[in-house]
Amino acid sequence: MANNYKNSKVDLTTTNITTLYTAPSATQTIVKSILVSNDSGSQDTITLTITDSASAIFSIYKNEDVGALSSKELLNQPLVVMESEILKVTAATAGRLHVVASYLEIT
């Protein structure tokens, strides 16, 4: 088994659902951190979902507040993402939020 520490980053320039991370085949992932930064002078919200291999969508956070000119850690505990599952994020307002996920891939 190989362990690889990685990160994924997205700049939410639209209010469209945006893929943050997709677990590769034959891989389990432990997400340690999902950090959201708001570079705007106004509060915003973010939605985080996970889509399983059967395309079912599960909300992890729905319209979670992120204060103006601040950062917020979304995870209190590690999140396990299985093979082919997808983490997606959606901003309420375009051009304010940046997201960084830090994780360990186990292959």
Side-chain angles (χ1 to χ4, degrees):
M1 289 184 126
N3 295 333
N4 297 303
Y5 291 95
K6 297 182 177 183
N7 67 50
S8 295
K9 300 170 275 296
V10 293
D11 182 358
L12 298 176
T13 58
T14 72
T15 58
N16 296 336
I17 297 170
T18 303
T19 297
L20 175 62
Y21 173 74
T22 303
S25 61
T27 302
Q28 295 177 343
T29 303
I30 300 171
V31 181
K32 175 66 176 160
S33 171
I34 299 177
L35 187 63
V36 182
S37 174
N38 182 353
D39 61 7
S40 165
S42 300
Q43 179 174 318
D44 208 344
T45 63
I46 189 164
T47 296
L48 172 66
T49 62
I50 187 167
T51 304
D52 70 12
S53 58
S55 299
I57 300 169
F58 300 89
S59 290
I60 298 171
Y61 282 99
K62 186 76 170 175
N63 297 321
E64 182 70 18
D65 290 331
V66 182
L69 300 172
S70 68
S71 297
K72 182 170 192 170
E73 174 58 56
L74 294 182
L75 298 181
N76 295 321
Q77 297 290 323
L79 175 67
V80 176
V81 179
M82 303 303 290
E83 174 181 358
S84 302
E85 292 185 333
I86 307 166
L87 290 175
K88 298 178 183 181
V89 290
T90 309
T93 308
R96 292 183 180 174
L97 302 179
H98 308 270
V99 184
V100 179
S102 299
Y103 51 89
L104 171 65
E105 285 184 341
I106 303 167
T107 56

